[in-house]
Amino acid sequence: MELHTVAVAPRSDLTGITVTPSEVVLKPGESIPLEVEILRAEGFDKNVTLDMVFQHLGGVFANTLPPGVKIDAKASQTALSAKDTKGKIVLTAEATAPPCERQLGCVMGQVSINFVMKSATCSPPVWISV
């Protein structure tokens, strides 16, 4: 290693995210809700979007969900308005989802900086098995 880089920045708009449960075992065809709570920095009252897939403008840049596991957008509450602190992400395993043991994922709380950029704060690990 030849170089270390350290960045010092002001506190983020989101100071933490908790997810319950932190480990799920889905059977093919089954859905399980993840209850999500965000901690807002003092005075932060903007919208927050919850997701487990890093995507923007229709493009997926990172997806840590196991093959055959999707987010059920209709059953989930991922858009949190100004004062909301609780949401829900419902994970659904397709009937044909292959077995997977303890795949690592997380929930992101995303804050729009402008139309192009978002700031993401991540939860502790969420382990997903099928």
Side-chain angles (χ1 to χ4, degrees), residues 23-39:
E23 184 159 357
V24 295
V25 178
L26 291 156
K27 296 176 185 159
E30 181 180 32
S31 295
I32 294 179
L34 300 175
E35 301 298 328
V36 181
E37 184 171 5
I38 62 170
L39 301 172

Side-chain angles (χ1 to χ4, degrees), residues 58-130:
V60 174
F61 298 93
N63 183 356
T64 60
L65 295 174
V69 175
K70 308 283 187 236
I71 294 173
D72 182 342
K74 290 182 180 179
S76 298
Q77 179 194 357
T78 58
L80 305 183
S81 60
K83 303 276 183 190
D84 292 336
T85 59
K86 294 184 179 180
K88 176 174 65 173
I89 292 180
V90 177
L91 296 180
T92 300
E94 297 171 345
T96 58
C100 171
E101 191 167 328
R102 297 195 84 218
Q103 177 136 339
L104 176 63
C106 72
V107 173
M108 293 177 287
Q110 298 177 332
V111 176
S112 288
I113 297 170
N114 57 38
F115 180 72
V116 177
M117 297 179 65
K118 300 179 204 176
S119 170
T121 300
C122 296
S123 73
V126 176
W127 299 98
I128 306 163
S129 300
V130 178

Side-chain angles (χ1 to χ4, degrees), residues 33-63:
L34 300 175
E35 301 298 328
V36 181
E37 184 171 5
I38 62 170
L39 301 172
R40 293 174 176 271
E42 186 176 331
F44 177 67
D45 63 354
K46 304 295 184 244
N47 296 343
V48 176
T49 303
L50 303 175
D51 209 338
M52 292 185 78
V53 178
F54 191 67
Q55 54 190 328
H56 184 64
L57 299 175
V60 174
F61 298 93
N63 183 356

